[in-house]
Amino acid sequence: METQSYIPVPPGVGMEDNFLSLDDILLSHERLPSRTECAFPRLGFLEKSSDARDIQEGTKMEMPLFLAKGLYDRKRRVVSVELPKVYKEGWRTVFNADPTVVDLYKMGPYYYGLGSQMLHFDSPENPEIAQAILQTFIGRFRRTMDSSQNAYNEDTSALVERLDYLERALFRAGQSGLNNFQSWERGHASTLTASSLVLNYRKRKISDLQS
């Protein structure tokens, strides 16, 4: 029986995040262009481009996503966050025209995840950002899955290099399903076993009967 030293934990969905997911941990360290709306005494060491003791009001700097979310407050303005360029109107127009031509990994390896997290920050462009992310995913999904199904026992590095991490996970899932189907066709499939959901349900029923 095969064992794994690490069982991958899936990332959160949409604006939610999962602190047990390595993908979400890496996403939370993506840096955002920010501006301080008040002074931060004795925290000048956080701004590497300055030797000042304090961070002054109006300082422009890059903050990791987790810090920007922690400091952001709609009532008491501490920091303001600027949209990364890939979510601005110019790039949204490109995505609306043909999302399949864009190298998402180069533009930002967590395009969908970071875009969803940007909705935490108040912006009049939030509805357009959400719509652009959704339409980009829809526009690229079929091509991603078609590629995963038509690359059996081939080098797929060229196919996935332009995909963001969510799309790469979908590509791997498609490849796994294809490999399992090919094994089944050749009669190499393993013995069918009950789903873990069914087994857990049976255990709960037995526990209820014994209690």
Side-chain angles (χ1 to χ4, degrees), residues 21-32:
S21 166
L22 289 180
D23 284 332
D24 276 357
I25 292 172
L26 293 173
L27 168 61
S28 71
H29 285 74
E30 287 287 295
R31 305 186 75 80
L32 302 175

Side-chain angles (χ1 to χ4, degrees), residues 184-200:
W184 175 79
E185 276 198 322
R186 295 193 302 268
H188 297 161
S190 57
T191 305
L192 291 176
T193 57
S195 163
S196 59
L197 294 174
V198 174
L199 294 176
N200 290 334

